[in-house]
Amino acid sequence: MIMPAGWEAVIGLEVHCQLSTQSKIFSGSAIAYGAEPNTQASPIDLGMPGMLPVLNVDAVKKAVTFGLSVSAKIAARSVFARKHYFYPDLPKGYQISQYELPIVYEGLLDIELDDGSVKRIGITRAHLEEDAGKSVHEGFQKSSGIDLNRAGTPLIEIVSEPDLRTAQEAVAYLKKLHQLVVYLGICDGNMQEGSFRCDANVSVRKIGAPKFGTRTETKNVNSFRYVEKAIEYEIERQIEVIEAGGSIRQETRLFNPDTGETKAMRSKEDANDYRYFPDPDLLPVVCTDEYIDAIRASLPELPEAKRARFVTAFGLSDYDAKTLTSSRELAAYYEAVVAASGAEPKLCANWVATDLLGALNKMSKGIEESPISAEAFAALLKRIADKTINGKIAKDVFEAMVAGEGTADEIIQAKGLVQVTDESAIIAAIDDVIAKNPQQVADYRAGRDKLYGFFVGQAMKATQGKANPDALNRLLKERLAG
Amino acid sequence: MSLSPEQVRQVAQLARLQLNPEQVEPYARQLSNIMEMVDRLSSADTAHVSPMAHPLDMVQRLRPDLVSETDRRDDYQAIAPETQDGLYLVPKVIE
Amino acid sequence: MHKHSIAELAAGLRDKKFSSRELTEAYLKRIAAHDGALNSYVTVTPERALAQADAADAVIAAGNAGPLTGIPLGQKDIFCTKGVRTACGSKMLDKFIAPYDATIVEKLDAAGMVMLGKLNMDEFAMGSSNETSFYGPVKNPWDPTRVPGGSSGGSVACVAAGLAPIATATDTGGSIRQPAALTNLTGIKPTYGRVSRYGMIAFASSLDQAGVVARSAEDAAYVMQAMSGFDPKDSTSVDRPVDDLVSGLGQSIKGLTIGLPKEYFADGMAAGVRARVEQAIAELTKLGVNFREISLPNSPLSVPTYYVVAPAEASSNLARFDGVRYGHRAEGAKSLEELYKRSRGEGFGTEVQRRIMVGTYVLSHGYYDAYYLQAQKVRRLIYDDFKRAYADGIDLILGPTTTDVAFKFGQNSDDPVAMYLNDIYTIAANLAGIPAMSLPCGLVDGLPTGFQLMGNFFAEARMLNVAHQYQQVTDFHTQWPTEYAS
């Protein structure tokens, strides 16, 4: 999309991130995805009379973990409030959320733009809240079915400042956030299952206008691509409306992935008087400095720090470092390979980033499903490092390993791929090549240097590719020199 | 503060209460009387008073993250007005 | 048998003078004979009761009886009872059979008590006369043309008439103390957080607290002991050991200082009530109690504060009743909106609707600061008044419970504000969270009156001891309404 001249968009994102706890935020129900309807809904989740919420310790810890990872402030005292609206997926008639005093506030996230520049995006707040249930519309004539398994699943809602200006920036922010919460182990990041959902607040204004335009909120856009499309659609729509002399209504809209359009939601029309007040069933959540420090001390290394370390400690290019730190599992795999193989970190990086990821990609598998463990992979690279095999043979061994033919050593053994370092064997092969190609030898010796490659190829072929390349080169030059 | 019949209708809508037309006027009168009594609150000087949400000066206790509930859907749905295939039914929700 | 104290009943059971089954049957018989006129029970549970009685008899026979084993009681119908309808005085829950027990139901069952049935109450505990119940008003055993008070009208009527030795009740703004005063009973609302609210249907969560109505402080102490204590299922439950309420009853009260808030003794109290309360002060003086006038300057703001905070919380707590998962559902609703509005319009009575609307209004956009936030601030002022008094050497505070004796049915039913002023002396204790109780101080024109004690946080033992000492030297609490005396 090309932004019409003179206009700019102002975008803020609200991301709902399901916390990967065992049980719900206020009840002891399981939160496993895909269970039979309402089999993970206890009387607390069903909003039955007399039922009371008790807060899950791990939900608090995960929220604080997130806050620390985005350099945010952690509230010494945060308060749960009730947000009221009537909807069948909201059993109590209110959602327990945090309103005036969220647990996390004033954070930031640096995103990398396509041109390589870095933009800092403010995180206004991240608050703890409970998820709602789901309405099922298919399969009923005049009814909708309500499944409350999801009701009460712990969420953090991460609210950005309106610092984003394009759909691409929004996606970059979202991807960065997604990587972060998965890295931290606080969210499984599964967007299809709704573990990571995004609402986009979009407005447009003439460049230089002192105030923001009226914004719309587009709900539950559940993939990076849809976020981009939905925002672009909204920007275009809003500019069109304004340019036609109309004005933008502050409203909630829903993205339709089939049409790529957004549409105003009827059901939310009068839902803007939420009547928030502090939940009298819950008391203030207190985070002491000691508690916060303990969580800080246990934070995993974050993607950016890891990437910088990979560059300095392993001598990798920034590109390779970025690739290898794109997920915590991949980075751990790479580091395990380096440690166990004793091979050059750069060599390991090439092998993991190119060969392994390439193979996994072909199989549509993630690193955690790799058919070759880090230890097994390291054993392969070890054989390159100790010159048992050369790089070319290693590729064949790797293919065989992917095909499940055994460990590197087993394959090398079985196929007789051990590199020939015995100089007499190499000399024999060279002499044989020289003997069989008198014309080429004569030409070479007469000054046709280009023929050297021909001799290397022939000699390698004679050793079935197993000759140590260094030795072969040295000996070949000696013999050709006559 | 007195409430007009229109305000009563708005509040009833927000609270999802179906009022009979003849209830609106008496409710308006009664709610106005109540709000008039409540208006005495404005006489208190609370400029330097922090609001009190709760009588206890305690902090939230935290529950271990354990699954303690088992599936008792049949028990819970035995008292439900209308269910099908384990789902609670409501008139079709139009989005 | 119906006039025995809890201790006497326990002794009778222990000494095999009667079995729990016989005792239970005797009470069931009295209920059958008298409750048609009183309407104190909404649901009588003879089978459950007799099964519990038989189990209690086995425990007694095995020599393992506790102080409450085999003793019957009535449960206010606000406490969820697994397998037994819990209607909370509302059409909304007329068919609601809770799939769980309230913590206090579990605790009293575990103590071996026998539940006779569920007791009538104002709808969702909103009322001071028991006239808002879907199941009809409860009659005052002292005068059937008069209200028993509310919201725990069924609780007091059944105990006052000897249809249960003791009953549970709840108090959000006076719902234990006011009806206790109007029926010559001893009723105690403990410190907020002392008794679990789990399974107790919420009216106003920051004010609700469960307690008992009894025929003496000693009876109350026995059951409060079993009800109280920490519950991990209630975030507002206090994790603190329970004082020994029963063995604390024998102590001298000589030298205690009781504060008399001048605001409670200003105009507004009927002359007869004033005379009775003053007589109670005189009795306590004889026991060596010192009295001192104190001031609770913000107490005149208690009623307006309460009528913001309580409806606000109620409007929220009652949002769950939507006809979807349980409770009343309107027939034939075509849309979701219609389902909500008609289910709630049909399921809730007018007083509940009024309070939902007041609460919705004070929380809504543009009014929150002026009403809800201001009420929360004034609530702090009221709380600070009590803090100051107790810090100033006051052990307990004494005042009237009600302005007058029980009023006639219909007297206040069209004037909510006049009805709300019934709670003028009792509300402050709920706002502050402190324990309070009412105990009988004699009849005015044949109708009971009571006075109120308010304690510092967790001073239940001291409060009950003062009440007990007073009841050792007075016999007001032993008087019975004529019709139910024999």
Side-chain angles (χ1 to χ4, degrees):
Chain A
M1 170 207 172
I2 299 156
M3 196 71 174
W7 289 92
E8 77 170 348
V10 175
I11 304 158
L13 298 183
E14 291 169 14
V15 173
H16 288 88
C17 172
Q18 281 185 0
L19 300 177
S20 47
T21 52
Q22 298 299 306
S23 63
K24 290 188 178 176
I25 184 167
F26 297 120
S27 83
S29 298
I31 57 170
Y33 182 81
E36 283 293 302
N38 293 308
T39 55
Q40 292 178 167
S42 72
I44 294 173
D45 313 315
L46 296 169
M48 286 204 177
M51 293 295 96
L52 296 171
V54 185
L55 182 59
N56 183 332
V57 64
D58 203 41
V60 176
K61 186 180 171 200
K62 286 185 157 68
V64 172
T65 300
F66 171 75
L68 294 175
S69 77
V70 291
S71 315
K73 292 181 180 148
I74 307 301
R77 189 172 161 278
S78 61
V79 169
F80 281 100
R82 295 180 178 181
K83 177 184 182 178
H84 299 86
Y85 61 95
F86 285 93
Y87 207 65
D89 65 11
L90 188 71
K92 298 184 294 298
Y94 58 84
Q95 177 193 30
I96 305 177
S97 182
Q98 294 185 313
Y99 184 51
E100 284 180 333
L101 296 171
I103 189 161
V104 169
Y105 61 104
E106 291 177 17
L108 52 93
L109 194 66
D110 288 335
I111 62 167
E112 210 174 309
L113 304 181
D114 287 345
D115 64 4
S117 64
V118 169
K119 181 167 178 175
R120 178 156 286 184
I121 306 301
I123 290 177
T124 316
R125 58 188 281 159
H127 60 254
L128 275 165
E129 62 182 25
E130 57 179 346
D131 209 344
K134 278 181 182 166
S135 306
V136 178
H137 306 295
E138 296 78 31
F140 299 102
Q141 280 293 310
K142 290 176 179 163
S143 302
S144 293
I146 307 298
D147 175 9
L148 296 169
N149 280 347
R150 201 179 67 176
T153 299
L155 297 177
I156 45 172
E157 179 177 333
I158 305 160
V159 182
S160 84
E161 289 289 307
D163 289 345
L164 302 157
R165 291 292 173 270
T166 65
Q168 291 68 40
E169 284 183 19
V171 171
Y173 166 83
L174 209 55
K175 283 187 169 164
K176 188 73 187 283
L177 202 58
H178 183 263
Q179 181 195 40
L180 180 63
V181 295
V182 173
Y183 238 86
L184 293 169
I186 62 171
C187 174
D188 67 19
N190 192 323
M191 295 176 83
Q192 256 138 35
E193 291 177 4
S195 302
F196 188 87
R197 316 193 291 269
C198 174
D199 301 339
N201 291 309
V202 177
S203 67
V204 296
R205 64 174 168 183
K206 288 276 192 189
I207 289 171
K211 285 199 295 187
F212 292 156
T214 304
R215 65 190 167 88
T216 62
E217 181 181 7
T218 302
K219 283 268 177 210
N220 280 343
V221 207
N222 63 357
S223 82
F224 295 124
R225 202 162 57 85
Y226 291 164
V227 168
E228 187 167 351
K229 286 180 87 172
I231 291 173
E232 290 195 334
Y233 179 84
E234 254 322 274
I235 293 172
E236 281 178 41
R237 185 188 70 85
Q238 290 186 15
I239 291 174
E240 250 174 63
V241 169
I242 296 169
E243 285 192 330
S247 58
I248 302 302
R249 275 182 52 178
Q250 184 163 350
E251 64 189 358
T252 304
R253 301 178 70 86
L254 200 63
F255 178 69
N256 181 343
D258 298 330
T259 61
E261 294 173 358
T262 69
K263 240 175 125 176
M265 279 172 83
R266 275 191 283 173
S267 60
K268 301 276 175 179
E269 265 173 16
D270 71 343
N272 46 18
D273 196 342
Y274 290 126
R275 290 160 283 138
Y276 282 103
F277 79 105
D279 191 326
D281 287 334
L282 291 160
L283 297 165
V285 179
V286 167
C287 294
T288 61
D289 289 344
E290 298 75 50
Y291 173 76
I292 295 167
D293 288 344
I295 293 177
R296 198 192 312 275
S298 68
L299 276 186
E301 188 181 25
L302 299 181
E304 250 150 73
K306 205 182 275 282
R307 179 170 157 188
R309 179 167 64 83
F310 277 22
V311 171
T312 52
F314 297 134
L316 304 186
S317 69
D318 188 56
Y319 181 84
D320 281 349
K322 188 179 174 186
T323 306
L324 291 171
T325 56
S326 63
S327 85
R328 200 167 151 184
E329 289 74 18
L330 178 60
Y333 188 99
Y334 168 71
E335 289 200 85
V337 168
V338 172
S341 68
E344 269 292 299
K346 179 81 188 133
L347 176 79
C348 298
N350 287 340
W351 274 90
V352 173
T354 311
D355 299 275
L356 180 64
L357 287 188
L360 290 174
N361 208 23
K362 262 188 223 161
M363 297 183 283
S364 307
K365 281 188 174 172
I367 187 74
E368 55 289 342
E369 305 157 294
S370 168
I372 308 172
S373 71
E375 292 65 38
F377 201 71
L380 170 65
L381 299 189
K382 206 177 203 166
R383 292 293 164 254
I384 303 174
D386 69 12
K387 301 193 160 50
T388 305
I389 54 174
N390 61 39
K392 190 171 168 300
I393 293 291
K395 306 263 179 200
D396 299 336
V397 177
F398 172 71
E399 296 289 329
M401 287 170 78
V402 172
E405 292 174 27
T407 65
D409 283 347
E410 284 163 4
I411 293 163
I412 292 166
Q413 204 64 48
K415 299 196 172 177
L417 298 176
V418 176
Q419 179 165 261
V420 177
T421 46
D422 174 2
E423 297 203 355
S424 59
I426 298 173
I427 289 168
I430 291 171
D431 288 349
D432 189 43
V433 170
I434 288 174
K436 283 182 180 156
N437 297 287
Q439 186 58 49
Q440 281 84 345
V441 173
D443 289 353
Y444 177 79
R445 286 180 176 157
R448 278 190 67 192
D449 289 351
K450 281 183 183 165
L451 278 169
Y452 181 70
F454 164 78
F455 293 112
V456 173
Q458 291 297 310
M460 229 1 145
K461 198 170 164 191
T463 61
Q464 292 99 49
K466 292 183 285 188
N468 176 298
D470 294 343
L472 182 98
N473 272 308
R474 182 169 44 78
L475 296 169
L476 183 63
K477 279 184 181 153
E478 277 176 25
R479 306 305 276 189
L480 284 172
Chain B
M1 176 64 72
S2 74
L3 273 84
S4 65
E6 184 46 34
Q7 278 175 301
V8 168
R9 276 188 284 267
Q10 281 167 8
V11 171
Q13 169 62 28
L14 203 51
R16 298 294 187 276
L17 292 171
Q18 181 83 55
L19 304 185
N20 299 325
E22 69 273 15
Q23 285 179 296
V24 174
E25 200 281 324
Y27 272 145
R29 188 163 30 82
Q30 291 160 349
L31 263 53
S32 296
N33 289 344
I34 294 168
M35 292 316 296
E36 194 182 317
M37 181 267 284
V38 160
D39 276 338
R40 278 169 38 212
L41 282 177
S42 60
S43 68
D45 178 7
T46 55
H48 304 288
V49 182
S50 62
M52 176 171 147
H54 222 276
L56 295 175
D57 191 19
M58 294 198 322
V59 303
Q60 180 60 38
R61 197 159 20 82
L62 301 173
R63 172 179 66 79
D65 179 28
L66 296 171
V67 175
S68 54
E69 295 290 333
T70 52
D71 170 22
R72 286 183 58 203
R73 183 176 77 183
D74 292 348
D75 286 354
Y76 303 148
Q77 295 198 339
I79 50 170
E82 208 183 342
T83 60
Q84 187 184 318
D85 306 331
L87 295 160
Y88 294 97
L89 293 194
V90 295
K92 198 158 197 78
V93 178
I94 309 148
E95 215 43 281
Chain C
M1 202 140 61
H2 70 274
K3 288 185 168 179
H4 287 329
S5 71
I6 300 258
E8 286 163 351
L9 290 175
L13 288 164
R14 206 169 41 240
D15 300 344
K16 312 281 193 306
K17 286 188 182 140
F18 44 82
S19 67
S20 177
R21 173 171 269 269
E22 285 162 347
L23 183 61
T24 302
E25 281 171 341
Y27 272 105
L28 291 170
K29 206 175 277 174
R30 273 187 72 82
I31 293 168
H34 295 288
D35 204 45
L38 285 176
N39 196 28
S40 67
Y41 282 85
V42 171
T43 309
V44 183
T45 51
E47 283 165 32
R48 189 183 190 277
L50 291 171
Q52 281 187 319
D54 289 344
D57 283 330
V59 171
I60 294 164
N64 296 326
L68 296 172
T69 307
I71 295 181
L73 92 162
Q75 288 278 14
K76 185 172 178 178
D77 204 20
I78 197 168
F79 297 106
C80 290
T81 39
K82 191 172 175 177
V84 176
R85 179 180 66 175
T86 303
C88 213
S90 184
K91 180 181 179 185
M92 182 60 85
L93 293 178
D94 185 43
K95 296 188 178 67
F96 178 68
I97 295 168
Y100 42 81
D101 276 327
T103 295
I104 73 132
V105 171
E106 261 177 20
K107 280 185 171 240
L108 296 177
D109 280 356
M113 295 197 85
V114 173
M115 184 180 90
L116 297 167
K118 307 292 296 286
L119 300 167
N120 204 346
M121 55 183 283
D122 278 301
E123 184 178 5
F124 286 105
M126 298 177 194
S128 306
S129 66
N130 217 108
E131 289 166 291
T132 74
S133 172
F134 174 64
Y135 301 95
V138 176
K139 305 287 164 46
N140 190 323
W142 291 82
D143 176 352
T145 67
R146 291 175 191 269
V147 303
S151 66
S152 308
S155 302
V156 292
C158 84
V159 177
L163 309 188
I166 193 161
T168 58
T170 60
D171 190 315
T172 305
S175 281
I176 288 175
R177 292 159 287 158
Q178 182 253 16
L182 302 187
T183 54
N184 208 44
L185 295 182
T186 302
I188 176 167
K189 173 203 99 70
T191 306
Y192 183 86
R194 181 71 294 179
V195 175
S196 171
R197 294 188 299 113
Y198 181 87
M200 173 175 128
I201 298 179
F203 161 13
S205 310
S206 79
L207 302 163
D208 295 343
Q209 187 59 196
V212 294
V213 290
R215 286 201 297 274
S216 69
E218 184 193 70
D219 283 4
Y222 276 108
V223 178
M224 282 312 306
Q225 190 78 51
M227 276 170 78
S228 303
F230 175 62
D231 181 4
K233 289 189 278 194
D234 174 1
S235 294
T236 63
S237 169
V238 179
D239 191 359
R240 164 191 172 120
V242 181
D243 292 336
D244 192 333
L245 303 178
V246 177
S247 65
L249 292 179
Q251 291 171 28
S252 163
I253 57 171
K254 201 165 180 234
L256 279 188
T257 304
I258 293 186
L260 301 172
K262 60 180 185 193
E263 294 80 6
Y264 283 53
F265 288 89
D267 301 341
M269 205 188 325
V273 174
R274 181 184 294 272
R276 289 283 150 214
V277 174
E278 280 169 0
Q279 192 190 342
I281 294 168
E283 293 292 344
L284 286 165
T285 307
K286 280 192 240 163
L287 292 171
V289 169
N290 302 314
F291 284 92
R292 197 206 297 170
E293 187 185 85
I294 59 165
S295 177
L296 301 171
N298 292 290
S299 52
L301 291 172
S302 298
V303 174
T305 302
Y306 178 86
Y307 279 95
V308 172
V309 173
E313 293 185 10
S315 71
S316 174
N317 285 331
L318 270 58
R320 67 189 61 203
F321 301 106
D322 58 6
V324 176
R325 299 163 313 286
Y326 54 82
H328 177 73
R329 181 186 183 98
E331 295 275 336
K334 298 276 189 298
S335 69
L336 186 64
E337 173 104 351
E338 190 191 341
L339 175 76
Y340 285 151
K341 289 171 71 172
R342 280 185 37 219
S343 297
R344 294 167 58 80
E346 295 165 10
F348 293 136
T350 53
E351 178 60 21
V352 171
Q353 294 195 0
R354 263 196 295 270
R355 297 207 196 186
I356 288 174
M357 287 193 281
V358 169
T360 302
Y361 182 72
V362 298
L363 287 176
S364 65
H365 191 68
Y367 300 103
Y368 182 86
D369 286 3
Y371 292 115
Y372 188 74
L373 200 62
Q374 176 71 356
Q376 279 201 326
K377 289 176 178 175
V378 177
R379 183 175 185 181
R380 164 118 20 229
L381 294 175
I382 291 165
Y383 170 88
D384 288 345
D385 284 353
F386 283 104
K387 280 266 182 190
R388 205 175 305 117
Y390 292 123
D392 201 26
I394 295 295
D395 295 308
L396 290 174
I397 292 170
L398 185 151
T401 308
T402 59
T403 54
D404 206 343
V405 295
F407 50 90
K408 297 242 179 193
F409 284 106
Q411 192 173 308
N412 291 322
S413 47
D414 203 36
D415 185 353
V417 173
M419 187 70 97
Y420 295 171
L421 292 174
N422 270 294
D423 305 331
I424 193 158
Y425 301 127
T426 49
I427 273 173
N430 300 83
L431 291 169
I434 56 172
M437 66 188 293
S438 179
L439 50 161
C441 56
L443 306 180
V444 174
D445 300 332
L447 292 169
T449 59
F451 72 99
Q452 189 181 197
L453 292 173
M454 290 179 270
N456 202 346
F457 287 89
F458 302 102
E460 285 83 1
R462 166 176 284 169
M463 210 169 62
L464 282 164
N465 181 46
V466 169
H468 180 68
Q469 296 305 316
Y470 168 81
Q471 289 178 341
Q472 296 307 102
V473 297
T474 56
D475 60 1
F476 304 121
H477 65 291
T478 63
Q479 301 186 41
W480 280 78
T482 334
E483 224 170 302
Y484 301 93
S486 55

